[in-house]
Amino acid sequence: MHRRPHALRLLAAGLSAALLITPALTATPAPAAPVVAAAPGDYCGGRCLDILPPGENGNATLAEIVLNRMFGSRPAHTDDQLGPYADLAAGYQGLTETQLRSFFNDASFGVPADQVASTSKPRSDVTIVRDKAAGIPHITGTTRQGTEFGAGYAAAQDRLWVMDLFRHVGRGGLSGFAGGAAANRQLEQSFWQAAPYTEDELQRQIDALAGRGGRAQQALDDAKAYLDGINQYIGEAYGGRYFPGEYDLTGHIDPITNQGSIEPFKLTDLVALASVVGALFGSGGGGELASAQVKSAAEARYGKDTGDAVWRSLREADDAEAVQTLHEGQSFPYAQVPDSPRGAALPDPGSVVPERMVYDATGSAGQRTTAAPGVLPGGLLSARHGMSNALLVSGSRTDDGHPVAVFGPQTGYFAPQLLMLEELQGPGISARGAAFAGLSFYVQLGRGQDYAWSATSAGQDITDTYAVPLCTTDGSPVTTAAGSYLWHGQCVPFDRLERKNAWSPTTGDSTPAGSYTLVMYRSNYGLVTARGTVGGAPVAFTSLRSTYRHEADSIIGFQELNDPGAVHDAASFQKAAQDINYTFNWFYADSRDIAYYNSGSNPVRAPGVDAGLPVRAEPAYEWADFQPAGNTARYTPPAEHPQSVNQDYYISWNNKQAASYTAAGFGNGSVHRGNLLDDRVKALLKNGGKASRVSLTQAMESAALADLRAEDVLPELLRVIRSAPVTDPATATAVQQLEAWLAHGAQRRETSAGSHAYTDATAIRTMDAWWPLVAEGTMRPGLGDQLFSALTGALQINESPSGGQTGPGGAGSSANESIPHRGSAFQYGWWSYMDKDLRTVLGEPVANPLARPFCGGGDLSACRTVLLDTLKRAAAQTPAQVYPGDGDCPAGDQWCADSIIQRPLGGVTDPKATWQNRPTYQQVVQFSAHR
């Protein structure tokens, strides 16, 4: 199945015109006799399940790609998990224990003899067994190095092209590898801005790990064996001509002569890959300039004191009404907002200019749009949002006395997927689950012998913005273009980090030839992201992330999570999570306990510093014990991180962790998508109710189909409107339709499985059209244009399933950037502002209200007029206006606009799936026993 030398080869210059059939140059090796994969130490009793669409097999030869495009045929196991995953949307309401396996894989250890599809031994000390159901590799080594070699070999079999893409993304070099499409260039620029390194600096991170000895050295030894497995497969696949066909399509290998190469993988590639994962899912903070611009605009609008109060209320840094993962009164103070901040450096209005990154552009480098779409969304990082969810219930509140967990990461939807499934069994390693392609020497999210774990993005503030004074070394006048800065009284030059990229048209990317140089300037206070003035003095605004230069440090924590000798209960799980420096919420379940721990290198800031504003670059305001050479500092101790064992239940959907644990950005207030989970789990447990695997899965899926705006804000909108009779017939009809949708559960659900049409479709369309109109109509008159614009730069108005209906953006900078067809929705938006403001207008109690009323200036009748006027305009919009269409969907197709598309990273494509706001990889677990 996974060694595929096919007869079909394609002339790369004529993919759409001609197929050339030639004999295979290498015979397929005979498979080894089937061997049963053992199931060591499995205490789940068949009650561990998982799913990862679209399928495990992520490699397709050129011939298979062509056949897929021409005839719809596809390699085995490329899409067999997509159907069960998608079908849960229609099947969850009548779900039974028996039916769970219709929607999830059996995640037991090992493979029964009658379910073994293939067995291979890439070297003598490791066996790879693949199951018939999903083609998942079950890797068993007699030595630790053999286990890791097998992990690398299997990873290359399943994700070689994806791994290669992302080692280039992590270096800011995607365009030179995959083509100069505008999206490729946008993506590489955003990653180069977040994590630029020289090759020497990538190696130094490896050397630093090696110097720690112990588990760190073991991790590097594991990684080297893993790379050996990858590189052996590359050599075999190249010689046998069954490597991924994307190498042909992008010009790296000639499809006729086989001339060309696939570069071997090395340790620095793993650091580059880790930087991608950390930047996408494990960072937090960095929005201080946007926050400062909101503060300045608020003070310009209302005066200093009232403006400051308005800014604080819009920021919602520690909102009393925010849903929290820890709900039993625990408090973990971090990055709290001081009454009188010290060292704040607010930019002069209008002075901030983003730092130039692109130099020496030639050819197509100047094109903002291209016919080629690119291999990844250009906004993958810049439009990133919190992702992943978790629901766990303590054994005291479940059907059989054992804890239940339904959890997983939302990592987007791609074909092949960014994650891959695997089972690893060997000395000191025993785990099954998901791992990022190219980093799968350990399972990152999954299960061990008698426990399971998962994570959600936490996003607490580990990134600060400094206003660094500029200077010149030759005595010339200082301007914002200066190439030097002040460090402890000395004028020193910025480091200049360069990445030169050049591309030519290929079959896979027709973008004309071009080139450019990406440049980032770096100071001891971090990377330069913008320039401007503070009090008239030229400064560079820099971004300092605590995990910069430490991209690989989390390897130790992941190693421990895979080691049954290291993790054996809730306390040892929390200890392992402490060794992960990225910002994640970690969750754990075994047969006795559930547990939670928030990880991350949280810097200890100087007293009085507000982490939500730019800070003057002076010794008094630096992180405690800050050493710029290695980017080290003092970090808050583990005891100060939110954590818990055996709370009655935990939920997380990137919401607030605990009281006093300050949110890094805007939008963590009274309405959050975490409420969708919290409300449903509370309902399950109400009046002594007991949760089960089935009911917790149903709670998750019910939330996955819910429209947050309709469930939590629409009732207030309707109460304001119904405060007097609605006399306009068209508006009255729209109100009745919205009320009916709300009575039906306010979900975006198909009329029947596969109908491609929503129940309550008209009401949903009205809500989609209404939200940006009513948010602007409510807030803009009171905010004024300048503050409204600044606020959209800090927090987007909407995040709908289709990625549309964003509303107006701010001048120059707006958070209203979206990625369509990605599933994840309703994380960031103005839901809390609307909720708090409408309740204020209605005279209802509000904790931490907005500092002033906005809708109708606080007058119920005037507010009602705004709502009616905007609703009437929304209801009059046609489907084509609300859903204008894109390259995947015709205008006016509501279901298609919302649909999830597995974004093709390679040549094989998948059908659209109905919308769900749900983890990409998901586990359903309930352990029945413990070691």
Side-chain angles (χ1 to χ4, degrees):
M1 176 183 67
H2 285 270
R3 299 176 67 86
R4 302 184 296 263
H6 281 266
L8 280 173
R9 303 297 291 167
L10 185 67
L11 284 170
L15 175 63
S16 61
L19 288 172
L20 181 66
I21 301 177
T22 63
L25 300 181
T26 303
T28 305
V35 175
V36 179
D42 190 341
Y43 292 83
C44 205
R47 295 168 66 80
C48 285
L49 308 173
D50 64 13
I51 190 81
L52 177 63
E56 178 62 23
N57 183 6
N59 279 356
T61 65
L62 184 59
E64 290 168 329
I65 291 172
V66 172
L67 291 172
N68 174 256
R69 295 298 177 91
M70 294 182 69
F71 306 111
S73 63
R74 56 193 314 119
H77 301 305
T78 54
D79 69 342
D80 48 12
Q81 296 183 68
L82 179 55
Y85 181 93
D87 290 347
L88 187 62
Y92 83 95
Q93 289 179 308
L95 190 64
T96 66
E97 181 72 26
T98 302
Q99 290 172 338
L100 276 171
R101 292 203 181 189
S102 298
F103 305 105
F104 295 90
N105 308 312
D106 180 359
S108 299
F109 281 170
V111 184
D114 63 351
Q115 292 300 307
V116 173
S118 68
T119 303
S120 62
K121 292 182 71 68
R123 74 182 204 185
S124 61
D125 55 353
V126 64
T127 302
I128 302 174
V129 174
R130 290 186 182 267
D131 58 68
K132 291 179 180 178
I136 296 165
H138 303 259
I139 300 151
T140 303
T142 58
T143 67
R144 188 178 181 103
Q145 280 202 332
T147 306
E148 293 296 1
F149 181 94
Y153 193 91
Q157 286 181 314
D158 290 349
R159 294 290 190 277
L160 178 57
W161 174 248
V162 176
M163 292 156 52
D164 221 341
L165 282 178
F166 276 92
R167 66 169 164 173
H168 286 86
V169 170
R171 289 182 169 86
L174 181 61
S175 61
F177 177 72
N184 289 351
R185 287 182 275 122
Q186 181 187 355
L187 182 62
E188 70 188 2
Q189 289 167 27
S190 65
F191 273 96
W192 184 249
Q193 185 179 54
Y197 295 110
T198 66
E199 285 300 305
D200 182 60
E201 288 169 344
L202 293 174
Q203 181 62 45
R204 279 186 226 162
Q205 296 183 56
I206 294 166
D207 296 341
L209 271 176
R212 294 166 62 176
R215 280 195 174 274
Q217 184 59 58
Q218 179 64 69
L220 290 179
D221 291 343
D222 292 344
K224 290 173 184 176
Y226 176 80
L227 292 172
D228 288 343
I230 293 173
N231 291 331
Q232 177 163 312
Y233 179 80
I234 289 174
E236 293 174 359
Y238 178 77
R241 301 185 74 164
Y242 50 85
F243 51 83
E246 292 83 5
Y247 287 103
D248 296 302
L249 299 177
T250 52
H252 294 283
I253 297 176
D254 187 285
I256 305 304
T257 67
N258 214 39
Q259 292 297 306
S261 65
I262 301 172
E263 289 297 315
F265 277 68
K266 51 188 183 292
L267 281 174
T268 49
D269 293 329
L270 304 188
V271 181
L273 283 160
S275 72
V276 173
V277 175
L280 276 175
F281 308 111
S283 61
E288 293 81 16
L289 268 177
S291 177
Q293 289 169 320
V294 173
K295 179 178 170 67
S296 295
E299 291 178 356
R301 174 75 170 172
Y302 301 113
K304 183 171 178 55
D305 291 341
T306 301
D308 182 70
V310 168
W311 166 72
R312 287 172 183 263
S313 69
L314 293 170
R315 183 174 166 187
E316 297 180 319
D318 192 14
D319 191 82
E321 295 183 327
V323 61
Q324 297 176 173
T325 296
L326 300 185
H327 55 250
E328 294 180 342
Q330 307 98 315
S331 178
F332 292 88
Y334 175 68
Q336 292 183 288
V337 181
D339 292 333
S340 300
R342 297 177 58 245
L346 271 65
D348 296 330
S351 72
V352 177
V353 177
E355 182 74 349
R356 179 184 175 187
M357 193 187 322
V358 175
Y359 290 79
D360 306 325
T362 69
S364 62
Q367 295 180 8
R368 291 182 176 271
T369 60
T370 55
V375 292
L376 286 157
L380 187 64
L381 179 60
S382 59
R384 66 182 171 86
H385 304 297
M387 294 182 259
S388 314
N389 71 30
L391 307 86
L392 299 88
V393 177
S394 171
S396 64
R397 307 300 302 274
T398 65
D399 55 347
D400 71 351
H402 297 301
V404 178
V406 178
F407 47 20
Q410 278 177 285
T411 55
Y413 295 94
F414 301 93
Q417 194 51 254
L418 307 185
L419 296 166
M420 61 171 286
L421 291 176
E422 64 180 356
E423 178 184 350
L424 300 178
Q425 301 291 348
I429 302 174
S430 184
R432 173 198 162 119
F436 284 95
L439 297 172
S440 57
F441 45 95
Y442 303 134
V443 170
Q444 276 116 42
L445 306 138
R447 56 155 302 197
Q449 294 180 357
D450 55 2
Y451 61 91
W453 76 95
S454 191
T456 67
S457 297
Q460 75 264 22
D461 200 337
I462 63 167
T463 307
D464 285 354
T465 298
Y466 285 90
V468 181
L470 296 171
C471 59
T472 57
T473 57
D474 60 2
S476 60
V478 180
T479 69
T480 55
S484 300
Y485 68 99
L486 285 177
W487 165 254
H488 293 195
Q490 300 294 315
C491 187
V492 296
F494 289 107
D495 295 335
R496 179 183 168 103
L497 301 171
E498 290 189 1
R499 171 77 199 196
K500 296 182 183 296
N501 290 329
W503 56 89
S504 299
T506 65
T507 303
D509 187 332
S510 60
T511 305
S515 66
Y516 61 23
T517 301
L518 299 181
V519 176
M520 281 297 292
Y521 287 98
R522 184 174 61 196
S523 73
N524 286 340
Y525 289 105
L527 301 162
V528 178
T529 61
R531 297 180 188 237
T533 59
V534 173
V539 299
F541 292 103
T542 65
S543 178
L544 184 64
R545 169 169 58 93
S546 67
T547 52
Y548 183 67
R549 298 185 193 265
H550 300 275
E551 310 292 356
D553 290 10
S554 293
I555 194 173
I556 296 172
F558 289 114
Q559 181 192 89
E560 292 170 318
L561 289 170
N562 282 243
D563 184 352
V567 175
H568 45 79
D569 57 18
S572 55
F573 153 75
Q574 290 179 326
K575 175 64 174 66
Q578 292 168 19
D579 287 328
I580 295 172
N581 66 344
Y582 290 127
T583 60
F584 288 110
N585 301 305
W586 292 99
F587 296 92
Y588 168 94
D590 63 22
S591 66
R592 304 177 301 201
D593 301 312
I594 57 174
Y596 163 73
Y597 185 83
N598 165 258
S599 70
S601 293
N602 294 354
V604 175
R605 295 177 174 88
V609 165
D610 188 339
L613 290 173
V615 181
R616 296 206 301 268
E618 299 173 11
Y621 309 116
E622 294 171 5
W623 294 343
D625 303 332
F626 177 58
Q627 295 294 329
N631 191 34
T632 60
R634 190 192 316 160
Y635 309 108
T636 60
E640 295 181 11
H641 286 246
Q643 58 196 282
S644 167
V645 176
N646 286 333
Q647 187 173 263
D648 56 346
Y649 70 90
Y650 301 110
I651 65 92
S652 176
W653 211 346
N654 320 111
N655 49 276
K656 186 174 173 59
Q657 290 86 2
S660 303
Y661 205 67
T662 303
F666 288 58
N668 226 319
S670 58
V671 176
H672 189 283
R673 66 181 182 178
N675 294 99
L676 298 174
L677 300 180
D678 196 60
D679 291 345
R680 284 158 174 78
V681 177
K682 281 180 179 176
L684 275 181
L685 305 182
K686 187 177 180 181
N687 299 324
K690 301 289 187 180
S692 67
R693 290 197 307 164
V694 168
S695 64
L696 204 59
T697 301
Q698 289 175 316
M700 175 280 301
E701 187 63 19
S702 174
L705 300 178
D707 187 307
L708 175 66
R709 305 162 305 181
E711 186 166 316
D712 282 359
V713 185
L714 181 58
E716 293 144 10
L717 290 164
L718 293 173
R719 285 205 298 277
V720 172
I721 286 175
R722 287 297 193 189
S723 63
V726 180
T727 56
D728 177 71
T731 307
T733 298
V735 169
Q736 291 165 3
Q737 290 168 337
L738 289 167
E739 289 173 332
W741 179 37
L742 191 59
H744 296 159
Q747 291 186 311
R748 304 172 82 97
R749 190 173 67 242
E750 288 181 291
T751 55
S752 60
S755 70
H756 292 188
Y758 286 144
T759 302
D760 300 299
T762 301
I764 292 170
R765 185 182 76 237
T766 298
M767 188 77 224
D768 285 342
W770 191 22
W771 184 261
L773 297 176
V774 73
E776 181 180 10
T778 295
M779 301 293 292
R780 188 165 199 151
L783 293 171
D785 290 346
Q786 181 183 355
L787 179 52
F788 179 86
S789 177
L791 189 57
T792 62
L795 178 67
Q796 64 199 65
I797 292 172
N798 194 21
E799 188 182 0
S800 70
S802 71
Q805 309 95 44
T806 56
S813 175
S814 173
N816 283 339
E817 184 175 5
S818 61
I819 300 175
H821 305 297
R822 70 172 191 163
S824 181
F826 304 125
Q827 167 66 357
Y828 293 118
W830 288 16
W831 352 109
S832 291
Y833 300 159
M834 293 294 294
D835 168 68
K836 286 177 178 286
D837 194 54
L838 291 170
R839 286 190 287 135
T840 297
V841 171
L842 288 164
E844 298 173 359
V846 181
N848 295 135
L850 299 183
R852 55 154 292 154
F854 288 93
C855 189
D859 178 78
L860 178 61
S861 177
C863 177
R864 182 175 178 272
T865 298
V866 171
L867 303 194
L868 288 171
D869 288 348
T870 53
L871 177 58
K872 184 174 183 178
R873 289 163 52 201
Q877 290 188 20
T878 66
Q881 289 175 308
V882 182
Y883 311 108
D886 56 25
D888 297 293
C889 298
D893 191 330
Q894 181 184 56
W895 179 90
C896 188
D898 281 7
S899 67
I900 291 171
I901 293 178
Q902 313 291 319
R903 175 68 183 251
L905 302 183
V908 174
T909 59
D910 294 287
K912 300 177 181 69
T914 196
W915 176 74
Q916 300 179 73
N917 197 358
R918 174 186 172 193
T920 315
Y921 165 66
Q922 192 165 47
Q923 299 181 80
V924 178
V925 300
Q926 188 172 32
F927 285 88
S928 57
H930 199 278
R931 282 173 283 167

